[in-house]
Amino acid sequence: MKLSCGARTLDLSVPQIMGIVNVTPDSFSDGGHHHQRDAAVEHGLQLVAEGATILDIGGESTRPGAADVALEEELARTIPVIQALRAQLDDEILISIDTSKPEVMRQAVRAGADIINDVRALREPGALEAAAETEALICLMHMQGQPRTMQAAPHYQDLFGEIAAFLNERIAACESVGIGRQRLILDPGFGFGKTLEHNYRLLADLAPLQKMDLPLLIGLSRKRMIGDLLERPVADRAVGSVVASLLAVQQGAQIVRVHDVAPMRDALMVWQATQQHR
Ligand code: PT1
């Protein structure tokens, strides 16, 4: 029920809210790195005040069509934000680094990050080794293709089988470099090389992933699977996102990665009040 990451621990006896802190020019007005850093730190503190117990700091956009970011740029965006947040947050709050780059992983953990959240599941050269050098928890996510092209023509013979096979292969890769299962979290990767139908088939049945017997993280906040269904722009997807995340929690997901922390917390509290009477 409790995962340990160095000096800190992650309690999974109740669902945890991972608040999203994007440090990309499209997220915070582009007044240079210092302004971007301050805005991101302030946003992170606000999300914690609203009920987030994990902050996910990302300096590379991985949404469909997004381009790669250079190492130096990603470091400049994320590391100062992690340092500032770690200095201001107490040890109950965990910091996650959303990256695929080994050097960002290393520096982020040194700056105080507790979780390495990699949408490429440590497949970049050197990433497995970099993660193994740390005591951080690791989120392994499934993606078909690469962010720039993954939505061109997603295709599966066996959606659940292929996702499970991929994740099992990545678990084995982690174990081969000495990263034990007690450090791993799994994520089916909503919106990462998946059609609307694929995404809802996954959300309808998380049992096959639960069977892998590792904690599940789910990220569907404000994604196209919500927007395309509801025909709503990004700004109007909060309710759909909270409901979808709660459906995942009801099926056993332990961590929800969301933008809209306050309404997510309300939803989880209502859900938890019913759980006590089951
Ligand atoms: C995620 C996730 C992530 N999503 C984890 N990390 C993003 N572990 C970034 C769309 O369809 O689900 N799990 N880090 C954001 N990526 C996307 C992908 C954003 C798809 C939007 C879409 O709109």
Side-chain angles (χ1 to χ4, degrees):
M1 284 281 179
K2 281 203 167 99
L3 305 186
S4 83
C5 32
R8 287 176 282 273
T9 57
L10 175 58
D11 177 10
L12 294 179
S13 62
V14 288
Q16 302 293 331
I17 301 175
M18 172 185 264
I20 300 169
V21 181
N22 288 320
V23 201
T24 50
D26 46 313
S27 315
F28 294 107
S29 61
D30 197 18
H33 278 141
H34 287 296
H35 180 265
Q36 197 170 265
R37 178 199 61 195
D38 294 346
V41 170
E42 200 172 319
H43 185 62
L45 296 174
Q46 172 68 30
L47 295 183
V48 169
E50 291 176 10
T53 51
I54 307 169
L55 292 177
D56 190 37
I57 318 301
E60 180 208 3
S61 175
T62 54
R63 72 174 68 121
D68 293 345
V69 176
L71 172 63
E72 289 308 320
E73 177 65 23
E74 199 177 323
L75 288 169
R77 288 176 184 174
T78 56
I79 304 304
V81 172
I82 294 170
Q83 287 169 335
L85 283 170
R86 187 74 284 163
Q88 293 179 65
L89 294 171
D90 53 44
D91 279 345
E92 275 86 86
I93 306 299
L94 299 189
I95 294 176
S96 161
I97 176 70
D98 189 343
T99 191
S100 298
K101 294 187 178 67
E103 188 57 21
V104 177
M105 293 172 189
R106 272 191 211 97
Q107 293 197 29
V109 170
R110 226 175 286 147
D114 309 285
I115 302 174
I116 294 169
N117 172 29
D118 183 4
V119 301
R120 295 178 184 80
L122 305 180
R123 283 178 295 162
E124 290 292 297
L128 271 173
E129 292 74 15
E133 288 164 18
T134 74
E135 295 183 290
L137 299 174
I138 294 156
C139 180
L140 299 172
M141 197 196 78
H142 173 268
M143 166 164 53
Q144 185 180 81
Q146 282 288 325
R148 208 170 51 76
T149 52
M150 65 191 177
Q151 290 310 110
H155 177 79
Y156 297 84
Q157 304 273 9
D158 172 4
L159 179 67
F160 291 94
E162 287 172 43
I163 291 172
F166 172 85
L167 292 173
N168 276 322
E169 189 272 322
R170 298 317 297 159
I171 294 166
C174 284
E175 288 179 321
S176 77
V177 295
I179 301 170
R181 285 180 68 92
Q182 75 286 352
R183 285 177 57 192
L184 301 178
I185 298 166
L186 303 180
D187 182 342
F190 285 100
F192 286 90
K194 291 160 188 97
T195 63
L196 189 69
E197 156 142 8
H198 293 142
N199 287 317
Y200 279 96
R201 270 170 60 199
L202 279 174
L203 183 57
D205 187 9
L206 295 178
L209 293 162
Q210 286 292 334
K211 285 205 187 86
M212 297 179 71
D213 214 27
L214 287 175
L216 271 192
L217 184 156
I218 250 59
L220 37 70
S221 185
R222 298 185 186 174
K223 287 185 180 177
R224 290 177 190 183
M225 66 177 285
I226 307 298
D228 289 354
L229 185 79
L230 304 178
E231 299 185 52
R232 293 194 190 281
V234 169
D236 299 334
R237 298 177 187 174
V239 174
S241 299
V242 165
V243 170
S245 296
L246 190 68
L247 290 170
V249 166
Q250 195 150 26
Q251 297 176 75
Q254 289 98 329
I255 304 170
V256 286
R257 181 184 180 276
V258 302
H259 300 87
D260 304 292
V261 170
M264 188 72 235
R265 182 168 178 275
D266 287 356
L268 285 174
M269 285 184 73
V270 169
W271 177 76
Q272 274 161 336
T274 68
Q275 287 309 100
Q276 294 166 354
H277 300 288
R278 285 177 60 107

